[in-house]
Amino acid sequence: MSVEKIDTLVVGGGQAGVAMSEHLSKCAVPHLVLERGRIAERWRSQRWDSLVANGPAWHDRFPGMEFPVTGPDGFPSKEEVADYFAAYARQINAPIRCGVEVKLVQRNVGRPGFRVETSDGVIEANSIVAATGPFQIPVIPALVPGDAGIPQIHSSAYRNPGQLPKGAVLVVGAGSSGVQIADELQRSGRRVYLSVGPHDRPPRAYRGRDFCWWLGVLGKWDLETPGPGTEHVTIAVSGARGGETIDFRRLAAQGLTLVGMTKTYQDGVLTFAPDLAKNIARGDANLMSLLDEADAYVARNGLDLAEEPTARRIDPDPDCLTNPIGELDLAGAGIAAIIWATGFAVDYSWLKVDAFDEKGRPRHQRGVSIEPGIYFLGLPWQSRRGSSFIWGVWHDAKHVADRISTQRKYLAYHAAAQRETVDA
């Protein structure tokens, strides 16, 4: 069987893989991108039907193309986002091969490079870029047994309210996905319980500017390290219905029931931590802090941006906040389904190299692994806070491509020097 050879192999054809291909091409690095599904597959098949991007179109895009349908201040649908990356790949003539799964990567013995086993044969590459991103394996806590008699799905498997059996729904996790799904279910007429943990709650917009703009001018996107205990903090923000600030009190006023973090399950009863008020207060404090910084920036720079005092309004606490539910009998409450909006884990089981710590996390500096020839792209906080966002991954890809190009030049010098020695 013939073995295909390529200088650099990029694994994953989502936003990270497309960005990587563009910068490798600019550096004249021969490469191939393998995608087991379609380009940006997760946007198409692992998101709910009504999802839109959480950032406005002017911000969450690559520099080389605007969204063709949604205006700059709008929020593109999930299908438009996927189509955008497919169109971008065509624009840059990215060598992406779809429908090919990478099964195993191992370092060659006694010679440079890596052997890659795929569903379409064997490839040898000098460098490997893992561009599979952080959202690989849906995480469902081992809390409610599978035989408990209640359907359970991860948020990545949720599509629309009609998919679920009739009855109330418990949504566990109050980040962007959990809040938007819970809101959609409640608007469809469902009784909904939302389990709320610690979170940040930025304004969707303030004084006429989207929060993405505020995080930019305040330097928050470029923070290189998270604050203590904030690396995995949930952010509640939404682009739904033209974009709106997440307000848990408003959701409760609409009929949604808030509960604390989900803790234990026994004999059909779930218990919740007594932390709901603390978690809501933390979100409020995060909101007010950002508004304070924005006001200070406006004053310092003399910007003509109208004041917005209503942004600081805090409505009265709903009953579910002042008298929180400590436990919930699922059958008694009519809970017909549980949706776990509890995030994802990474899966690098296919990458058999010494590039990970004891918890399986990549060891790297700005995407450059401690294992020579191995690179990562699309990781949270890869170089800064914005790394896992669309625009952030594009800039990280440039750095990784530059490093790959530099290594190729050193190796080219070595090869040329060897040839001169032999010729002499």
mmCIF file of all heavy atoms in Angstrom, residues 132-176:
data_model
loop_
_atom_site.group_PDB
_atom_site.id
_atom_site.type_symbol
_atom_site.label_atom_id
_atom_site.label_comp_id
_atom_site.label_asym_id
_atom_site.label_seq_id
_atom_site.Cartn_x
_atom_site.Cartn_y
_atom_site.Cartn_z
ATOM 1 N N THR A 132 -8.653 20.381 16.488
ATOM 2 C CA THR A 132 -9.968 19.816 16.779
ATOM 3 C C THR A 132 -10.758 20.636 17.797
ATOM 4 O O THR A 132 -11.930 20.334 18.047
ATOM 5 C CB THR A 132 -9.818 18.367 17.291
ATOM 6 O OG1 THR A 132 -8.839 18.339 18.327
ATOM 7 C CG2 THR A 132 -9.355 17.452 16.170
ATOM 8 N N GLY A 133 -10.144 21.653 18.389
ATOM 9 C CA GLY A 133 -10.859 22.545 19.283
ATOM 10 C C GLY A 133 -11.167 21.938 20.637
ATOM 11 O O GLY A 133 -10.845 20.782 20.914
ATOM 12 N N PRO A 134 -11.833 22.707 21.496
ATOM 13 C CA PRO A 134 -12.076 22.253 22.872
ATOM 14 C C PRO A 134 -13.394 21.520 23.080
ATOM 15 O O PRO A 134 -13.672 21.035 24.160
ATOM 16 C CB PRO A 134 -12.082 23.575 23.647
ATOM 17 C CG PRO A 134 -12.648 24.555 22.675
ATOM 18 C CD PRO A 134 -12.182 24.111 21.301
ATOM 19 N N PHE A 135 -14.245 21.456 22.036
ATOM 20 C CA PHE A 135 -15.602 20.910 22.221
ATOM 21 C C PHE A 135 -15.704 19.545 21.551
ATOM 22 O O PHE A 135 -16.340 19.386 20.514
ATOM 23 C CB PHE A 135 -16.641 21.871 21.657
ATOM 24 C CG PHE A 135 -16.495 23.278 22.155
ATOM 25 C CD1 PHE A 135 -16.252 24.325 21.283
ATOM 26 C CD2 PHE A 135 -16.580 23.556 23.510
ATOM 27 C CE1 PHE A 135 -16.110 25.621 21.742
ATOM 28 C CE2 PHE A 135 -16.441 24.851 23.984
ATOM 29 C CZ PHE A 135 -16.207 25.882 23.094
ATOM 30 N N GLN A 136 -15.074 18.543 22.160
ATOM 31 C CA GLN A 136 -14.964 17.242 21.508
ATOM 32 C C GLN A 136 -15.879 16.174 22.096
ATOM 33 O O GLN A 136 -16.584 15.501 21.364
ATOM 34 C CB GLN A 136 -13.502 16.776 21.564
ATOM 35 C CG GLN A 136 -12.554 17.697 20.803
ATOM 36 C CD GLN A 136 -11.095 17.379 21.073
ATOM 37 O OE1 GLN A 136 -10.747 16.235 21.355
ATOM 38 N NE2 GLN A 136 -10.236 18.380 21.003
ATOM 39 N N ILE A 137 -15.860 16.004 23.401
ATOM 40 C CA ILE A 137 -16.671 14.971 24.038
ATOM 41 C C ILE A 137 -17.692 15.627 24.971
ATOM 42 O O ILE A 137 -17.310 16.262 25.946
ATOM 43 C CB ILE A 137 -15.805 13.990 24.840
ATOM 44 C CG1 ILE A 137 -14.763 13.319 23.940
ATOM 45 C CG2 ILE A 137 -16.675 12.930 25.502
ATOM 46 C CD1 ILE A 137 -13.844 12.380 24.692
ATOM 47 N N PRO A 138 -18.988 15.500 24.693
ATOM 48 C CA PRO A 138 -19.991 16.058 25.605
ATOM 49 C C PRO A 138 -19.871 15.443 26.999
ATOM 50 O O PRO A 138 -19.715 14.235 27.146
ATOM 51 C CB PRO A 138 -21.321 15.673 24.947
ATOM 52 C CG PRO A 138 -20.986 15.443 23.510
ATOM 53 C CD PRO A 138 -19.594 14.877 23.507
ATOM 54 N N VAL A 139 -19.926 16.293 28.012
ATOM 55 C CA VAL A 139 -19.796 15.836 29.397
ATOM 56 C C VAL A 139 -21.171 15.799 30.058
ATOM 57 O O VAL A 139 -21.859 16.816 30.143
ATOM 58 C CB VAL A 139 -18.855 16.754 30.193
ATOM 59 C CG1 VAL A 139 -18.889 16.387 31.674
ATOM 60 C CG2 VAL A 139 -17.438 16.668 29.651
ATOM 61 N N ILE A 140 -21.561 14.606 30.493
ATOM 62 C CA ILE A 140 -22.775 14.443 31.298
ATOM 63 C C ILE A 140 -22.352 13.847 32.636
ATOM 64 O O ILE A 140 -21.854 12.713 32.677
ATOM 65 C CB ILE A 140 -23.804 13.526 30.611
ATOM 66 C CG1 ILE A 140 -24.293 14.163 29.310
ATOM 67 C CG2 ILE A 140 -24.978 13.255 31.549
ATOM 68 C CD1 ILE A 140 -25.333 13.330 28.577
ATOM 69 N N PRO A 141 -22.479 14.584 33.725
ATOM 70 C CA PRO A 141 -22.060 14.062 35.027
ATOM 71 C C PRO A 141 -22.757 12.740 35.357
ATOM 72 O O PRO A 141 -23.938 12.547 35.037
ATOM 73 C CB PRO A 141 -22.482 15.167 36.005
ATOM 74 C CG PRO A 141 -22.556 16.406 35.167
ATOM 75 C CD PRO A 141 -23.007 15.962 33.820
ATOM 76 N N ALA A 142 -22.020 11.851 35.982
ATOM 77 C CA ALA A 142 -22.576 10.552 36.376
ATOM 78 C C ALA A 142 -23.410 10.740 37.642
ATOM 79 O O ALA A 142 -23.008 10.357 38.743
ATOM 80 C CB ALA A 142 -21.454 9.552 36.600
ATOM 81 N N LEU A 143 -24.567 11.333 37.481
ATOM 82 C CA LEU A 143 -25.393 11.686 38.634
ATOM 83 C C LEU A 143 -26.720 10.939 38.619
ATOM 84 O O LEU A 143 -27.035 10.186 39.539
ATOM 85 C CB LEU A 143 -25.622 13.196 38.649
ATOM 86 C CG LEU A 143 -26.143 13.807 39.942
ATOM 87 C CD1 LEU A 143 -25.132 13.619 41.066
ATOM 88 C CD2 LEU A 143 -26.426 15.297 39.751
ATOM 89 N N VAL A 144 -27.481 11.123 37.553
ATOM 90 C CA VAL A 144 -28.765 10.440 37.407
ATOM 91 C C VAL A 144 -28.536 9.167 36.601
ATOM 92 O O VAL A 144 -28.103 9.236 35.454
ATOM 93 C CB VAL A 144 -29.801 11.336 36.706
ATOM 94 C CG1 VAL A 144 -31.134 10.615 36.589
ATOM 95 C CG2 VAL A 144 -29.971 12.647 37.470
ATOM 96 N N PRO A 145 -28.809 7.993 37.162
ATOM 97 C CA PRO A 145 -28.542 6.747 36.442
ATOM 98 C C PRO A 145 -29.319 6.657 35.133
ATOM 99 O O PRO A 145 -30.419 7.220 34.991
ATOM 100 C CB PRO A 145 -29.013 5.657 37.426
ATOM 101 C CG PRO A 145 -29.037 6.316 38.761
ATOM 102 C CD PRO A 145 -29.357 7.755 38.508
ATOM 103 N N GLY A 146 -28.735 5.964 34.188
ATOM 104 C CA GLY A 146 -29.392 5.810 32.899
ATOM 105 C C GLY A 146 -30.693 5.049 32.972
ATOM 106 O O GLY A 146 -31.566 5.206 32.113
ATOM 107 N N ASP A 147 -30.847 4.225 34.025
ATOM 108 C CA ASP A 147 -32.077 3.444 34.179
ATOM 109 C C ASP A 147 -33.076 4.124 35.117
ATOM 110 O O ASP A 147 -33.998 3.476 35.639
ATOM 111 C CB ASP A 147 -31.744 2.042 34.686
ATOM 112 C CG ASP A 147 -31.035 2.044 36.044
ATOM 113 O OD1 ASP A 147 -30.805 3.148 36.587
ATOM 114 O OD2 ASP A 147 -30.714 0.951 36.547
ATOM 115 N N ALA A 148 -32.909 5.435 35.317
ATOM 116 C CA ALA A 148 -33.805 6.152 36.236
ATOM 117 C C ALA A 148 -35.177 6.403 35.623
ATOM 118 O O ALA A 148 -36.081 6.906 36.298
ATOM 119 C CB ALA A 148 -33.178 7.483 36.653
ATOM 120 N N GLY A 149 -35.319 6.100 34.348
ATOM 121 C CA GLY A 149 -36.624 6.245 33.713
ATOM 122 C C GLY A 149 -36.927 7.627 33.199
ATOM 123 O O GLY A 149 -38.095 7.954 32.931
ATOM 124 N N ILE A 150 -35.892 8.461 33.056
ATOM 125 C CA ILE A 150 -36.095 9.813 32.543
ATOM 126 C C ILE A 150 -35.075 10.077 31.438
ATOM 127 O O ILE A 150 -33.878 9.843 31.623
ATOM 128 C CB ILE A 150 -35.984 10.868 33.668
ATOM 129 C CG1 ILE A 150 -36.268 12.260 33.123
ATOM 130 C CG2 ILE A 150 -34.626 10.819 34.352
ATOM 131 C CD1 ILE A 150 -36.461 13.296 34.215
ATOM 132 N N PRO A 151 -35.519 10.524 30.265
ATOM 133 C CA PRO A 151 -34.587 10.795 29.169
ATOM 134 C C PRO A 151 -33.597 11.894 29.540
ATOM 135 O O PRO A 151 -33.971 12.919 30.125
ATOM 136 C CB PRO A 151 -35.499 11.238 28.020
ATOM 137 C CG PRO A 151 -36.856 10.713 28.371
ATOM 138 C CD PRO A 151 -36.921 10.725 29.857
ATOM 139 N N GLN A 152 -32.325 11.671 29.202
ATOM 140 C CA GLN A 152 -31.282 12.655 29.451
ATOM 141 C C GLN A 152 -30.475 12.851 28.170
ATOM 142 O O GLN A 152 -30.063 11.874 27.550
ATOM 143 C CB GLN A 152 -30.330 12.182 30.560
ATOM 144 C CG GLN A 152 -30.996 11.844 31.868
ATOM 145 C CD GLN A 152 -29.997 11.318 32.880
ATOM 146 O OE1 GLN A 152 -29.069 12.028 33.287
ATOM 147 N NE2 GLN A 152 -30.155 10.075 33.288
ATOM 148 N N ILE A 153 -30.240 14.113 27.783
ATOM 149 C CA ILE A 153 -29.404 14.406 26.633
ATOM 150 C C ILE A 153 -28.464 15.550 26.978
ATOM 151 O O ILE A 153 -28.721 16.348 27.889
ATOM 152 C CB ILE A 153 -30.211 14.776 25.373
ATOM 153 C CG1 ILE A 153 -31.034 16.060 25.604
ATOM 154 C CG2 ILE A 153 -31.101 13.620 24.933
ATOM 155 C CD1 ILE A 153 -31.710 16.585 24.338
ATOM 156 N N HIS A 154 -27.371 15.620 26.245
ATOM 157 C CA HIS A 154 -26.467 16.758 26.362
ATOM 158 C C HIS A 154 -26.990 17.886 25.478
ATOM 159 O O HIS A 154 -27.731 17.655 24.520
ATOM 160 C CB HIS A 154 -25.055 16.340 25.926
ATOM 161 C CG HIS A 154 -24.003 17.359 26.213
ATOM 162 N ND1 HIS A 154 -23.595 18.288 25.272
ATOM 163 C CD2 HIS A 154 -23.268 17.602 27.332
ATOM 164 C CE1 HIS A 154 -22.660 19.049 25.810
ATOM 165 N NE2 HIS A 154 -22.443 18.657 27.054
ATOM 166 N N SER A 155 -26.607 19.101 25.806
ATOM 167 C CA SER A 155 -27.070 20.249 25.011
ATOM 168 C C SER A 155 -26.677 20.134 23.546
ATOM 169 O O SER A 155 -27.370 20.663 22.668
ATOM 170 C CB SER A 155 -26.520 21.552 25.600
ATOM 171 O OG SER A 155 -25.100 21.519 25.662
ATOM 172 N N SER A 156 -25.579 19.427 23.256
ATOM 173 C CA SER A 156 -25.157 19.269 21.861
ATOM 174 C C SER A 156 -26.109 18.381 21.075
ATOM 175 O O SER A 156 -26.091 18.389 19.840
ATOM 176 C CB SER A 156 -23.742 18.691 21.799
ATOM 177 O OG SER A 156 -23.694 17.408 22.412
ATOM 178 N N ALA A 157 -26.942 17.602 21.766
ATOM 179 C CA ALA A 157 -27.915 16.738 21.098
ATOM 180 C C ALA A 157 -29.302 17.372 21.037
ATOM 181 O O ALA A 157 -30.196 16.831 20.382
ATOM 182 C CB ALA A 157 -28.001 15.383 21.800
ATOM 183 N N TYR A 158 -29.485 18.506 21.699
ATOM 184 C CA TYR A 158 -30.781 19.187 21.664
ATOM 185 C C TYR A 158 -30.965 19.907 20.333
ATOM 186 O O TYR A 158 -30.033 20.532 19.822
ATOM 187 C CB TYR A 158 -30.871 20.194 22.812
ATOM 188 C CG TYR A 158 -32.080 21.105 22.714
ATOM 189 C CD1 TYR A 158 -33.342 20.648 23.077
ATOM 190 C CD2 TYR A 158 -31.952 22.408 22.240
ATOM 191 C CE1 TYR A 158 -34.455 21.478 22.978
ATOM 192 C CE2 TYR A 158 -33.053 23.241 22.140
ATOM 193 C CZ TYR A 158 -34.306 22.776 22.504
ATOM 194 O OH TYR A 158 -35.396 23.582 22.396
ATOM 195 N N ARG A 159 -32.170 19.824 19.771
ATOM 196 C CA ARG A 159 -32.467 20.496 18.509
ATOM 197 C C ARG A 159 -33.614 21.507 18.642
ATOM 198 O O ARG A 159 -33.528 22.623 18.166
ATOM 199 C CB ARG A 159 -32.816 19.460 17.428
ATOM 200 C CG ARG A 159 -31.653 18.535 17.070
ATOM 201 C CD ARG A 159 -30.494 19.305 16.446
ATOM 202 N NE ARG A 159 -29.313 18.462 16.260
ATOM 203 C CZ ARG A 159 -28.297 18.369 17.114
ATOM 204 N NH1 ARG A 159 -28.323 19.080 18.236
ATOM 205 N NH2 ARG A 159 -27.272 17.607 16.873
ATOM 206 N N ASN A 160 -34.729 21.083 19.262
ATOM 207 C CA ASN A 160 -35.885 21.977 19.406
ATOM 208 C C ASN A 160 -36.833 21.378 20.429
ATOM 209 O O ASN A 160 -36.715 20.199 20.797
ATOM 210 C CB ASN A 160 -36.581 22.193 18.052
ATOM 211 C CG ASN A 160 -36.981 20.879 17.407
ATOM 212 O OD1 ASN A 160 -37.804 20.138 17.942
ATOM 213 N ND2 ASN A 160 -36.371 20.560 16.273
ATOM 214 N N PRO A 161 -37.820 22.157 20.918
ATOM 215 C CA PRO A 161 -38.721 21.652 21.954
ATOM 216 C C PRO A 161 -39.498 20.413 21.540
ATOM 217 O O PRO A 161 -39.782 19.542 22.366
ATOM 218 C CB PRO A 161 -39.648 22.845 22.217
ATOM 219 C CG PRO A 161 -38.828 24.047 21.851
ATOM 220 C CD PRO A 161 -38.012 23.607 20.670
ATOM 221 N N GLY A 162 -39.843 20.306 20.255
ATOM 222 C CA GLY A 162 -40.629 19.176 19.787
ATOM 223 C C GLY A 162 -39.913 17.848 19.867
ATOM 224 O O GLY A 162 -40.544 16.785 19.772
ATOM 225 N N GLN A 163 -38.617 17.891 20.057
ATOM 226 C CA GLN A 163 -37.811 16.675 20.157
ATOM 227 C C GLN A 163 -38.020 15.964 21.490
ATOM 228 O O GLN A 163 -37.802 14.756 21.594
ATOM 229 C CB GLN A 163 -36.341 17.073 19.979
ATOM 230 C CG GLN A 163 -35.303 16.114 20.464
ATOM 231 C CD GLN A 163 -33.933 16.767 20.530
ATOM 232 O OE1 GLN A 163 -33.815 17.995 20.477
ATOM 233 N NE2 GLN A 163 -32.901 15.963 20.632
ATOM 234 N N LEU A 164 -38.464 16.697 22.509
ATOM 235 C CA LEU A 164 -38.555 16.163 23.865
ATOM 236 C C LEU A 164 -39.953 15.643 24.157
ATOM 237 O O LEU A 164 -40.945 16.127 23.599
ATOM 238 C CB LEU A 164 -38.192 17.253 24.879
ATOM 239 C CG LEU A 164 -36.824 17.912 24.712
ATOM 240 C CD1 LEU A 164 -36.654 19.008 25.757
ATOM 241 C CD2 LEU A 164 -35.701 16.896 24.802
ATOM 242 N N PRO A 165 -40.066 14.659 25.060
ATOM 243 C CA PRO A 165 -41.401 14.198 25.467
ATOM 244 C C PRO A 165 -42.154 15.317 26.181
ATOM 245 O O PRO A 165 -41.555 16.243 26.735
ATOM 246 C CB PRO A 165 -41.097 13.036 26.404
ATOM 247 C CG PRO A 165 -39.693 13.251 26.872
ATOM 248 C CD PRO A 165 -38.983 13.917 25.733
ATOM 249 N N LYS A 166 -43.468 15.237 26.163
ATOM 250 C CA LYS A 166 -44.283 16.263 26.809
ATOM 251 C C LYS A 166 -44.017 16.274 28.309
ATOM 252 O O LYS A 166 -43.833 15.229 28.922
ATOM 253 C CB LYS A 166 -45.756 16.004 26.540
ATOM 254 C CG LYS A 166 -46.156 16.189 25.074
ATOM 255 C CD LYS A 166 -47.647 15.964 24.877
ATOM 256 C CE LYS A 166 -48.035 16.179 23.415
ATOM 257 N NZ LYS A 166 -49.488 15.958 23.200
ATOM 258 N N GLY A 167 -44.012 17.474 28.864
ATOM 259 C CA GLY A 167 -43.779 17.613 30.293
ATOM 260 C C GLY A 167 -42.751 18.679 30.592
ATOM 261 O O GLY A 167 -42.258 19.374 29.693
ATOM 262 N N ALA A 168 -42.407 18.810 31.872
ATOM 263 C CA ALA A 168 -41.430 19.813 32.298
ATOM 264 C C ALA A 168 -40.015 19.339 31.960
ATOM 265 O O ALA A 168 -39.776 18.151 31.724
ATOM 266 C CB ALA A 168 -41.560 20.067 33.793
ATOM 267 N N VAL A 169 -39.087 20.290 31.946
ATOM 268 C CA VAL A 169 -37.698 20.004 31.598
ATOM 269 C C VAL A 169 -36.783 20.654 32.626
ATOM 270 O O VAL A 169 -37.000 21.797 33.029
ATOM 271 C CB VAL A 169 -37.347 20.530 30.193
ATOM 272 C CG1 VAL A 169 -35.896 20.202 29.846
ATOM 273 C CG2 VAL A 169 -38.293 19.964 29.137
ATOM 274 N N LEU A 170 -35.774 19.904 33.037
ATOM 275 C CA LEU A 170 -34.706 20.457 33.865
ATOM 276 C C LEU A 170 -33.494 20.683 32.977
ATOM 277 O O LEU A 170 -33.020 19.748 32.323
ATOM 278 C CB LEU A 170 -34.344 19.505 35.003
ATOM 279 C CG LEU A 170 -33.062 19.848 35.787
ATOM 280 C CD1 LEU A 170 -33.217 21.160 36.553
ATOM 281 C CD2 LEU A 170 -32.678 18.713 36.731
ATOM 282 N N VAL A 171 -32.985 21.914 32.942
ATOM 283 C CA VAL A 171 -31.759 22.243 32.217
ATOM 284 C C VAL A 171 -30.677 22.496 33.256
ATOM 285 O O VAL A 171 -30.827 23.368 34.123
ATOM 286 C CB VAL A 171 -31.937 23.479 31.318
ATOM 287 C CG1 VAL A 171 -30.634 23.804 30.590
ATOM 288 C CG2 VAL A 171 -33.058 23.244 30.309
ATOM 289 N N VAL A 172 -29.596 21.740 33.178
ATOM 290 C CA VAL A 172 -28.502 21.859 34.144
ATOM 291 C C VAL A 172 -27.345 22.590 33.470
ATOM 292 O O VAL A 172 -26.761 22.108 32.502
ATOM 293 C CB VAL A 172 -28.039 20.485 34.639
ATOM 294 C CG1 VAL A 172 -26.920 20.653 35.670
ATOM 295 C CG2 VAL A 172 -29.204 19.707 35.230
ATOM 296 N N GLY A 173 -27.028 23.781 33.994
ATOM 297 C CA GLY A 173 -25.965 24.597 33.410
ATOM 298 C C GLY A 173 -26.534 25.876 32.850
ATOM 299 O O GLY A 173 -27.418 25.842 31.987
ATOM 300 N N ALA A 174 -26.030 27.014 33.327
ATOM 301 C CA ALA A 174 -26.618 28.301 32.952
ATOM 302 C C ALA A 174 -25.624 29.180 32.216
ATOM 303 O O ALA A 174 -25.600 30.394 32.383
ATOM 304 C CB ALA A 174 -27.154 29.025 34.188
ATOM 305 N N GLY A 175 -24.779 28.566 31.388
ATOM 306 C CA GLY A 175 -23.971 29.347 30.467
ATOM 307 C C GLY A 175 -24.807 29.738 29.269
ATOM 308 O O GLY A 175 -26.041 29.640 29.279
ATOM 309 N N SER A 176 -24.150 30.162 28.205
ATOM 310 C CA SER A 176 -24.880 30.636 27.030
ATOM 311 C C SER A 176 -25.818 29.563 26.482
ATOM 312 O O SER A 176 -26.977 29.842 26.156
ATOM 313 C CB SER A 176 -23.892 31.076 25.953
ATOM 314 O OG SER A 176 -23.164 32.206 26.385
#
